[in-house]
Amino acid sequence: MTSTFDSTGGKPGQVRFFLPGPVWVRDAVRQAMAHEAIGHRGKAFADLYARIPPRLAKVFRTEGFVFTTTSAATGLWEAALLNLMPERVLAIASGAFSERWAACARDLGLAVDVLEAPWGVPVDPAEVRRALGKAKYEAVTVVHSETSTGTLNDLEAIARAVREASNAFVLADVVTSVAGSPVECDAWGLDFVLSGSQKAFALPPGLGLAFASERFRERAKERSRAHYLRLSEAEAFAGKHQTPYTPSTPHLFALDVQLDHILAETVEGRWARHDALRARVAAWAAARGHAYVPPEGARSWTVSCLKPRPGLSSEALVANVKERGFTIGGGYGKWKASTFRIGHMGDVDMASLDALLAALDESAAEAAA
Ligand SMILES: Cc1ncc(COP(=O)(O)O)c(C=O)c1O
């Protein structure tokens, strides 16, 4: 289904920036950030912050607790672990970001076992179940959409496997899935779910967005070793429509505007638009001989990771398309030279994507010449 919603806020075809985050930001959102200064302990802030969680919860698909932090998403990886303080963590690593979350757990001094899955291949829930049988784990970390490889894991099935095989808390990074493809915090039984503003929410970077289940919050009350991102503090202050520490108020003004926009499009409509963008890239890639890295059915709806057709260098392609005014992502980490990534998340519309694909065709012809 192709959404007819004007995602760009009035000018279809204007997006030229296709990194897999940070992403292009609409004028109305950027302008909202220029709001005059307000104090974060006054009524104007409380009025603003009171409006955020009820609408954010709709995007995270929960009746439970959602909150924002002034941090990168990485800060929320740490928050998930420091608030829980699990005795032993099973870290599912299938790409650069999930590997980094495992490293984060090790840096915090936690006992971590890594379940390694090959890059570009979705994690098999049966493997997760097997791994959980080998030791007593209190937490499982999983990245839903691995931005480094464009692979979408079956988070619902993985969470089910964790619940069936253990009592472990499911900690999910939905940084490049939520607001772009289905994430169901309540229905999938997730415990801590985190994202950042600079991905499918289409805000500037700097804001963390998260959900914590009731059982996670209960446990955090007893065990948390976090200070800046202590969950019980966030909860206590949320009751007063405040944040524990000085927030980035400009980001919250922007989020206020953007949540209206997202809910006007509808969460399902936003998913459908991203799915249509993904399908358009897939059809284009197949027609041009560029190989999609993840298999069909396990492709992120927000970032496409492709191997250029034989004889074409991905680095030349990225550089040539840049000269035409379009920014796309190169490969990530060990795949830097062998792949390129198109971020089609946030408020990207089909006309803009089509313009990019045409520019990529010209760039490929130039690189081959
Ligand atoms: C899946 C995933 N997790 C985590 C991060 C880290 O986000 P941040 O740079 O906001 O800490 C990224 C960034 O690209 C990501 O794609």
Side-chain angles (χ1 to χ4, degrees):
M1 174 186 127
T2 306
S3 171
T4 52
F5 189 85
D6 185 359
S7 55
T8 58
K11 294 180 207 152
Q14 69 182 317
V15 182
R16 294 287 179 272
F17 192 72
F18 295 87
L19 285 185
V23 302
W24 179 81
V25 178
R26 296 184 305 123
D27 287 351
V29 171
R30 290 193 295 114
Q31 281 154 13
M33 292 194 82
H35 194 284
E36 67 181 22
I38 61 167
H40 58 281
R41 298 292 179 231
K43 181 170 180 327
F45 184 84
D47 288 348
L48 166 68
Y49 206 61
R51 292 196 295 271
I52 303 281
R55 288 174 298 156
L56 191 56
K58 290 189 176 146
V59 185
F60 276 79
R61 312 280 274 198
T62 178
E63 305 278 313
F65 182 66
V66 290
F67 62 107
T68 65
T69 56
T70 299
S71 73
T74 302
L76 284 167
W77 282 350
E78 207 167 287
L81 295 166
L82 280 177
N83 279 287
L84 193 66
M85 289 307 289
E87 294 277 340
R88 182 164 285 278
V89 181
L90 180 67
I92 302 174
S94 59
F97 291 100
S98 41
E99 286 171 8
R100 270 167 55 185
W101 201 0
C104 169
R106 265 187 244 107
D107 285 346
L108 295 175
L110 300 171
V112 186
D113 292 331
V114 176
L115 171 60
E116 258 190 76
W119 280 38
V121 177
V123 173
D124 180 354
E127 288 289 327
V128 178
R129 196 185 304 262
R130 258 194 296 283
L132 285 166
K134 292 186 187 153
K136 185 169 180 296
Y137 294 102
E138 286 193 312
V140 176
T141 62
V142 53
V143 171
H144 189 198
S145 162
E146 237 311 339
T147 319
S148 56
T149 64
T151 307
L152 189 67
N153 283 313
D154 187 343
L155 180 56
E156 181 182 12
I158 291 170
R160 193 182 315 120
V162 174
R163 271 200 318 280
E164 286 171 4
S166 73
N167 267 328
F169 289 83
V170 180
L171 315 182
D173 170 325
V174 298
V175 169
T176 50
S177 55
V178 71
S181 66
V183 171
E184 300 277 0
C185 286
D186 288 353
W188 295 354
L190 308 176
D191 288 297
F192 194 96
V193 178
L194 65 97
S195 188
S197 52
Q198 75 278 23
K199 306 288 184 176
F201 277 91
L203 296 172
L207 200 64
L209 310 158
F211 155 81
S213 70
E214 195 173 340
R215 81 174 185 132
F216 185 101
R217 285 180 282 136
E218 284 307 310
R219 155 85 178 218
K221 278 184 194 134
E222 294 160 24
R223 295 288 288 266
S224 179
R225 297 288 299 275
H227 179 84
Y228 178 53
L229 298 177
R230 197 179 188 89
L231 198 54
S232 56
E233 290 289 300
E235 253 190 291
F237 278 81
K240 299 183 275 184
H241 308 308
Q242 291 183 4
T243 58
Y245 310 107
T246 312
S248 173
T249 315
H251 277 95
L252 296 172
F253 280 120
L255 180 59
D256 188 35
V257 166
Q258 187 66 342
L259 282 169
D260 273 351
H261 175 73
I262 290 172
L263 296 179
E265 182 176 15
T266 76
V267 174
E268 292 85 351
R270 203 165 175 85
W271 296 344
R273 177 168 52 78
H274 283 81
D275 193 27
L277 294 168
R278 178 203 57 75
R280 179 66 59 96
V281 174
W284 168 83
R288 302 297 186 273
H290 307 308
Y292 235 106
V293 177
E296 184 137 26
R299 294 172 182 167
S300 172
W301 295 18
T302 62
V303 50
S304 292
C305 181
L306 303 158
K307 278 198 173 108
R309 66 170 170 256
L312 185 61
S313 141
S314 72
E315 282 166 327
L317 195 58
V318 173
N320 288 354
V321 84
K322 181 95 182 163
E323 279 175 21
R324 291 177 163 75
F326 292 85
T327 303
I328 63 166
Y332 197 96
K334 65 185 183 189
W335 283 7
K336 187 170 172 28
S338 57
T339 62
F340 63 99
R341 293 172 307 149
I342 302 174
H344 36 80
M345 69 184 93
D347 288 330
V348 171
D349 62 306
M350 193 62 84
S352 296
L353 180 66
D354 282 341
L356 169 70
L357 298 178
L360 279 168
D361 284 341
E362 288 172 20
S363 303
E366 186 190 355

